[in-house]
RNA sequence: GACCCCAUCGUCUAGUCAGGUCAGGACACCGGGUUUUCAUCCCGGCAACACGGGUUCGAAUCCCGUUGGGGUCACCA
């Protein structure tokens, strides 16, 4: 049997460092055993999935050096590799489950479900999840309501007693009472499958032999195992990897730590350095050496050697490892190549030149004009940053901008400008007054290259870092203030919608 | 709250599965040396088996409990 593993990210937002981490382990395991590593796009959530995000996943995984044998862009014998293109398959299998009595139509409203959940929670009941109301519907009634075109979902039947026992390669036997397992929706009212169904169906058809995924999935393993049983399929070997953590030990999140792979790229980390560091999370080379390549990790890889404690993602340690790559693994020629790849390339300069050409008298002016485009944070003192306004007010504007930027689907100067204009209007200030602190936060100078262009070029993550840094310089915002500001911002959004 | 997972220096970890160098490496930090500065490099130091019970001649290592941390409880993945 050929070992086949997969990484199955959902294309929402920026490519996540956790995706690269899980992909790395799946890649190493597959390659170590001469198998294949598959990329599958889990885009069953129509509301959140974007093709831009999908493309970024391809680019980001390739950037760190993880190539897949099969995937949406490279094809393969088990395609399509995009779940949105496999709808008929899920529909067919769902019908099969309904037919066999393993799944049922559910017409319950979201209101009823919310009320149910509310009640279960407030009563402190250990029983949670769907109460099975629609299971008792007669065949005729179901047929009638379907004929009427009533909105419905399809749920799986889950035992109400006993416990589910399954195996995890690293943890051994895990037992979870069935009462803890919800009658999961398999097919949403939009006719698309949920993760649980699509995942099982695809892993089976794609002949995935080993599922290595984040620990957060342990509690849904019973649903998956049950589905495999219902279908009469063999279940892949399960291996739950410890979750990457913030310095405070909570699950890695972008509020507390940079999580976008693009941040690491823009910051000037080498992909080899980043991947090497990810290889330190939950893994150690047999000889405990710190610096190793992907190939070396593949050679040495032993799944049972994965450590289970949740590793804190420590940016300083990543930096020191990256430093070793920079100075020990590159000769000067290669260093030049990498530097050119990073920023000193035609593509980057072609973004910059239209902005600077009109503003230089000599080439030597170039550095002064663009220094802030090549660094991470810039320093400005609080007084300058305030530009004569109240610190509180400036912090509010900066904070609003960060929040809005984070929510933006597309990052370009038009969308950035849109955010700034709305906020400027809200503040009641003239544009030139309003943007002053932004220029200072972004460039460290009262005047610089056009703001929106600068932000677009620097990218969302570094823009966010600089604005947050400016807020901190101004004294920072406490929890209470943040709460108040969040309210104000929400009200602003409602206002905008009603217009 | 219920359920599940986890537990060695501040951080990543080796050692745990086949109990007997009570603990090694790396980052960070501190001190010293090389270097025209800085960085690199070299040497040294600080620093951990969460706690309590067992089992055993002997436990970081096996068992139980406690505590702590994390995760999950969606028509998101």
């Amino acid at each position: 049997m050929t070992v086949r593993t997969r990484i199955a990210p959902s294309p929402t937002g920026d490519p996540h460092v956790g995706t690269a981490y899980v992909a790395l382990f799946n890649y190493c395991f597959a390659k170590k055993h001469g198998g294949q590593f598959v990329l599958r796009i889990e885009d069953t959530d129509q509301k959140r999935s974007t093709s831009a995000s999908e493309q970024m996943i391809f680019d980001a995984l390739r950037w760190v050096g993880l190539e897949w044998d099969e995937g949406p862009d490279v094809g393969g014998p088990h395609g399509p590799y995009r779940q949105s293109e496999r709808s008929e398959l899920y529909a067919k299998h769902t019908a099969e489950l309904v037919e066999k009595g393993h799944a049922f139509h559910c017409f319950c409203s979201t209101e009823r479900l919310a009320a149910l959940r509310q009640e279960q929670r407030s009563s402190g009941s250990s029983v949670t999840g769907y109460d099975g109301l629609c299971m008792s519907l007669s065949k005729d009634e179901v047929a009638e309501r379907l004929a009427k075109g009533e909105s419905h979902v399809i749920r799986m039947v889950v035992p109400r007693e006993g416990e589910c026992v399954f195996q995890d390669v690293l943890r051994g036997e895990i037992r979870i009472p069935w009462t803890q397992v919800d009658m999961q929706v398999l097919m949403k009212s939009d006719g698309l499958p949920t993760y649980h169904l699509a995942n099982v169906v695809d892993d089976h058809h794609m002949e995935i032999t080993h599922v290595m995924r984040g620990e957060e999935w342990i509690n849904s393993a019973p649903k998956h195992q049950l589905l495999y049983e219902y279908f009469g399929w063999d279940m892949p070997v399960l291996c739950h990897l410890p979750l990457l953590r913030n310095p405070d030990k909570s699950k890695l999140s972008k509020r507390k730590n940079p999580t976008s792979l693009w941040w690491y790229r823009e910051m000037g980390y080498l992909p080899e350095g980043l991947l090497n560091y990810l290889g330190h999370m939950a893994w150690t080379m047999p000889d405990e050496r710190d610096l190793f390549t992907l190939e070396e990790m593949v050679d040495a890889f032993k799944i049972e050697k994965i450590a289970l404690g949740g590793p804190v993602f420590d940016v300083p340690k990543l930096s020191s490892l990256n430093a070793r790559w920079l100075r020990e693994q590159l000769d000067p020629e290669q260093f030049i190549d990498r530097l050119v790849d990073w920023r000193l390339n035609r593509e980057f300069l072609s973004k910059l030149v239209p902005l600077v050409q009109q503003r230089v008298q000599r080439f030597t002016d170039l550095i002064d004009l663009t220094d802030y485009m090549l660094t991470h944070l810039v320093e400005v003192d609080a007084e300058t940053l305030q530009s004569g306004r109240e610190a509180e007010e400036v912090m509010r504007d900066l904070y609003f901008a960060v929040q809005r930027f984070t929510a933006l689907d597309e990052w370009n100067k038009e969308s950035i400008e849109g955010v700034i204009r709305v906020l400027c209007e809200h503040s009641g200030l003239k544009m030139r007054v309003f943007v002053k602190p932004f220029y200072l936060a972004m460039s460290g100078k009262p005047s610089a290259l056009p703001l929106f262009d600068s932000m677009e070029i620097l990218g969302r993550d570094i823009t966010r870092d600089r604005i947050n840094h400016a807020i901190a310089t101004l004294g920072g915002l406490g929890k209470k203030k943040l709460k108040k500001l969040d309210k104000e911002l929400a009200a602003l959004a409602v206002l905008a919608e009603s217009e």
Side-chain angles (χ1 to χ4, degrees), chain A residues 21 170-171 241-242 281-284 303-311:
Chain A
Y21 159 71
L170 301 175
R171 296 154 225 267
L241 301 169
M281 303 284 88
W283 169 258
T284 310
I303 196 168
E304 66 271 19
K305 284 301 196 181
I306 294 171
L308 290 180

Side-chain angles (χ1 to χ4, degrees), chain A residues 161-328:
Chain A
E161 52 186 35
E163 59 183 10
C164 175
V165 183
F166 63 94
Q167 298 292 327
D168 175 286
V169 250
L170 301 175
R171 296 154 225 267
E173 191 173 277
I174 296 176
R175 298 167 165 270
I176 295 177
W178 281 118
T179 49
Q180 296 297 316
V181 183
D182 197 7
M183 298 190 194
Q184 183 65 47
V185 170
L186 299 177
M187 187 72 82
K188 300 180 276 187
S189 56
D190 63 5
L192 291 176
T194 56
Y195 166 84
H196 305 280
L197 194 259
N199 175 266
V200 165
V201 168
D202 287 344
D203 282 345
H204 171 72
H205 286 288
M206 293 180 184
E207 296 174 19
I208 300 302
T209 57
H210 298 258
V211 170
M212 302 175 79
R213 69 219 314 181
E215 199 175 11
E216 56 199 336
W217 293 107
I218 288 183
N219 288 300
S220 33
K223 294 169 189 170
H224 305 158
Q225 185 172 64
L226 192 57
L227 284 173
Y228 281 103
E229 275 173 33
Y230 284 165
F231 285 124
W233 297 337
D234 288 334
M235 185 165 73
V237 173
L238 257 33
C239 173
H240 293 95
L241 301 169
L243 258 21
L244 260 26
R245 311 287 187 89
N246 294 311
D248 69 0
K249 298 275 190 180
S250 56
K251 173 174 157 180
L252 195 68
S253 64
K254 75 176 168 199
R255 291 270 167 276
K256 297 173 182 171
N257 206 80
T259 57
S260 166
L261 288 165
W262 292 156
W263 185 86
Y264 295 93
R265 188 183 62 177
E266 301 315 325
M267 280 295 288
Y269 289 97
L270 293 175
E272 294 92 333
L274 179 60
L275 201 64
N276 187 172
Y277 181 66
L278 288 174
H280 274 266
M281 303 284 88
W283 169 258
T284 310
M285 288 295 270
D287 61 0
E288 293 191 61
R289 98 187 85 137
D290 288 302
L291 196 127
F292 51 87
T293 64
L294 178 59
E295 292 67 36
E296 289 166 339
M297 182 168 168
V298 168
D299 280 346
F301 194 73
K302 280 194 180 141
I303 196 168
E304 66 271 19
K305 284 301 196 181
I306 294 171
L308 290 180
V312 171
F313 191 94
D314 187 43
V315 178
K317 183 148 183 178
L318 162 64
S319 297
S320 84
L321 193 59
N322 193 64
R324 289 192 56 191
W325 274 89
L326 244 22
R327 79 173 95 89
E328 293 173 21

Side-chain angles (χ1 to χ4, degrees), chain A residues 39-260:
Chain A
L39 171 64
R40 180 172 73 223
I41 295 294
E42 307 227 330
D43 56 352
T44 54
D45 185 346
Q46 292 278 275
K47 286 173 225 112
R48 297 196 308 150
S49 301
T50 66
S51 61
S53 177
E54 178 186 296
Q55 186 58 46
M56 290 198 288
I57 289 168
F58 299 162
D59 295 345
L61 288 177
R62 289 216 167 87
W63 176 66
V64 293
L66 296 170
E67 288 282 343
W68 44 100
D69 300 294
E70 299 168 28
D73 57 336
V74 298
H78 304 276
Y81 293 90
R82 208 176 268 119
Q83 290 185 330
S84 58
E85 295 167 10
R86 300 168 67 83
S87 298
E88 336 72 51
L89 187 65
Y90 309 125
K92 187 187 107 191
H93 286 298
T94 309
E96 182 189 331
L97 289 180
V98 173
E99 180 70 22
K100 287 196 213 155
H102 296 315
F104 60 94
H105 294 272
C106 172
F107 300 90
C108 291
S109 66
T110 44
E111 291 74 31
R112 189 182 105 78
L113 295 172
L116 182 66
R117 224 170 282 136
Q118 172 79 291
E119 193 194 310
Q120 286 170 340
R121 231 176 239 227
S122 59
S123 72
S125 165
S126 70
V127 179
T128 55
Y130 187 63
D131 59 2
L133 181 72
C134 290
M135 270 173 90
S136 56
L137 260 32
S138 72
K139 256 190 174 167
D140 291 344
E141 188 175 348
V142 170
E144 191 183 316
R145 293 174 75 166
L146 286 178
K148 273 197 292 186
E150 256 188 71
S151 174
H152 67 280
V153 299
I154 295 174
R155 291 178 184 274
M156 67 188 288
V157 174
V158 173
R160 291 293 78 189
E161 52 186 35
E163 59 183 10
C164 175
V165 183
F166 63 94
Q167 298 292 327
D168 175 286
V169 250
L170 301 175
R171 296 154 225 267
E173 191 173 277
I174 296 176
R175 298 167 165 270
I176 295 177
W178 281 118
T179 49
Q180 296 297 316
V181 183
D182 197 7
M183 298 190 194
Q184 183 65 47
V185 170
L186 299 177
M187 187 72 82
K188 300 180 276 187
S189 56
D190 63 5
L192 291 176
T194 56
Y195 166 84
H196 305 280
L197 194 259
N199 175 266
V200 165
V201 168
D202 287 344
D203 282 345
H204 171 72
H205 286 288
M206 293 180 184
E207 296 174 19
I208 300 302
T209 57
H210 298 258
V211 170
M212 302 175 79
R213 69 219 314 181
E215 199 175 11
E216 56 199 336
W217 293 107
I218 288 183
N219 288 300
S220 33
K223 294 169 189 170
H224 305 158
Q225 185 172 64
L226 192 57
L227 284 173
Y228 281 103
E229 275 173 33
Y230 284 165
F231 285 124
W233 297 337
D234 288 334
M235 185 165 73
V237 173
L238 257 33
C239 173
H240 293 95
L241 301 169
L243 258 21
L244 260 26
R245 311 287 187 89
N246 294 311
D248 69 0
K249 298 275 190 180
S250 56
K251 173 174 157 180
L252 195 68
S253 64
K254 75 176 168 199
R255 291 270 167 276
K256 297 173 182 171
N257 206 80
T259 57
S260 166

